[in-house]
Amino acid sequence: KEWCSFGHRFRTRLALGEPPSGEYSPVFIQWLECVYQLVKQAPQSFEFTPSFLLRLANEVFSNRYGTFLCDCEQDRQKMVAPDSISFWSVVLRSEDKATWQNPDYQPRRGAMVPSITQADYFVWEEYWWRFHPRGQQMASIKAAYQTVPPPLLATI
């Protein structure tokens, strides 16, 4: 939410609805990648799961929500808010919240010190491979496992 409130220029940086300019820069996606790395290293430290980050990364380009369509909060409120839905109003509904909330979340005190070694880096396959046949195959396998009843999963 802070990226929107503090004026990240989504329209310009992600070329939403216009050709990329010299200011095109996927900084927000790079930030999501960094958060993904932290979530993988300390999953219990976050209220959300990696699936939420993937949804956020996809929705920022979908133009489905007014949340990411402008370069500042003032433009968003004036030009798109009256005629669009906020991404946050959807994901914060109780029925939607259950899909991305981390049941293992434990608030922590103090700083989180992530490992910066390459050995602890995880490729965000769900994002980077999502349009590749390999990624689509991985998604279908994952979906198949999610539809298997829990007692059967214990025997696999």
Side-chain angles (χ1 to χ4, degrees):
K1 276 179 126 172
E2 285 77 13
W3 281 76
C4 298
S5 298
F6 293 132
H8 180 69
R9 300 176 66 191
F10 283 98
R11 184 179 55 81
T12 301
R13 298 288 185 235
L14 298 175
L16 300 174
E18 59 189 49
S21 69
E23 293 186 49
Y24 175 83
S25 176
V27 174
F28 184 69
I29 301 302
Q30 292 170 341
W31 178 77
L32 289 177
E33 170 75 40
C34 292
V35 174
Y36 176 80
Q37 297 302 319
L38 295 173
V39 170
K40 292 299 282 186
Q41 287 187 27
Q44 71 286 353
S45 298
F46 294 88
E47 289 187 67
F48 52 85
T49 61
S51 64
F52 178 74
L53 295 174
L54 182 62
R55 181 173 177 188
L56 187 54
N58 287 328
E59 296 299 355
V60 81
F61 289 107
S62 75
N63 293 336
R64 189 181 343 220
Y65 301 101
T67 308
F68 310 110
L69 293 178
C70 297
D71 281 343
C72 67
E73 188 66 24
Q74 180 181 1
D75 289 349
R76 203 171 355 277
Q77 292 301 321
K78 189 171 24 172
M79 294 190 284
V80 298
D83 302 311
S84 66
I85 299 171
S86 166
F87 174 73
W88 306 113
S89 68
V90 173
V91 298
L92 293 175
R93 292 186 306 209
S94 58
E95 63 271 13
D96 201 90
K97 217 174 185 181
T99 65
W100 57 264
Q101 257 188 332
N102 181 359
D104 300 323
Y105 171 64
Q106 298 172 3
R108 65 185 287 150
R109 295 192 183 272
M112 186 172 92
V113 181
S115 170
I116 58 171
T117 65
Q118 187 176 2
D120 291 326
Y121 177 82
F122 295 89
V123 175
W124 191 8
E125 293 182 357
E126 294 84 2
Y127 181 78
W128 298 113
W129 291 92
R130 65 184 187 235
F131 299 120
H132 189 276
R134 174 185 172 190
Q136 293 168 358
Q137 180 183 18
M138 288 182 333
S140 65
I141 291 170
K142 185 177 179 182
Y145 276 112
Q146 289 176 344
T147 60
V148 175
L152 293 178
L153 282 176
T155 62
I156 295 178

